[in-house]
Amino acid sequence: MLEIRDLDVRYGGITALRGLSIDVRQGETVLLVGANGAGKSSTINAVIGLVRPARGAIRLDGRDIAAVPCERRARLGIGYSPEGRRVFPSMTVRENVLSGAFGMGRRHQRRALDWLVSVFPFLGERASQPAGQLSGGQQQLVAIARAMCSQPRLLLLDEPFLGLAPIWVRQISEAIREMQRRGTTILMAEQMARPALKLATRGYVMRGGEVRREGTVAEIRDSALAEEYL
Ligand code: ATP
């Protein structure tokens, strides 16, 4: 479904990705794991269109999406939850979640919201509260629900577990499982390998902007856990 080939990303003189090639097949949950600065966010940001690669190709269903602007990629069925729980603090929980389905029609939005509230009752209980007043874990759940709200075919999750208490790690894991049950394809970047390894089918261990290992979760588990402590 998603093919990344020979991707280079540079920020001025800094090379963040070097010849990166990654495949995500339909229905898979693929994990990018690696220490700080390994290049995980740069990979996700290149797919969503927030950074422009210096070289290489990104194909979605065989189509090169390099020329598709960031705001149009959502319409291709890509959902995105950024690193660091970026919710809109003064908007309510409900407004935050619905912003993920912006421009999609009232009926679609209502159905998506009903579904999300049935999965995470907390979103209903806190619907009218400004998102900035929530705890870190609650904000992360709102950010993920926002990405789920458009019911994307490909969901990009950047560090969904970082800095969260175990109770929220469980809730976020449940959200990801719900998307898996719906057949969503997922690409997830995560430093906290342990909970992510429970959800992924395959993974890539990254370091210095390159893939160091790839394989099934069983094959990469040891090196993924080693990177977690770097
Ligand atoms: P983290 O978990 O810290 O986000 P990461 O694995 O996601 O790490 P990236 O954020 O992709 O890694 O960073 C890869 C490299 O690119 C690092 O050396 C980082 O310092 C650098 N980098 C990332 N964003 C920028 C930027 N906007 N300007 C300059 N350098 C950047």
Side-chain angles (χ1 to χ4, degrees), residues 52-78:
R52 183 182 284 273
R55 190 176 71 98
I58 301 175
R59 287 188 282 269
L60 187 69
D61 301 323
R63 171 186 174 195
D64 191 338
I65 59 170
V68 179
C70 183
E71 65 276 11
R72 297 255 311 274
R73 293 195 193 186
R75 288 202 207 146
L76 299 176
I78 305 178

Side-chain angles (χ1 to χ4, degrees), residues 9-11 41-53 58 65-66 68-73 78 80-83 86 156 158:
V9 165
R10 295 192 195 109
Y11 303 101
S41 295
S42 297
T43 307
I44 299 254
N45 290 344
V47 176
I48 192 66
L50 287 171
V51 303
R52 183 182 284 273
I58 301 175
I65 59 170
V68 179
C70 183
E71 65 276 11
R72 297 255 311 274
R73 293 195 193 186
I78 305 178
Y80 166 62
S81 167
E83 185 178 358
R86 272 183 229 128
L156 307 172
D158 197 354

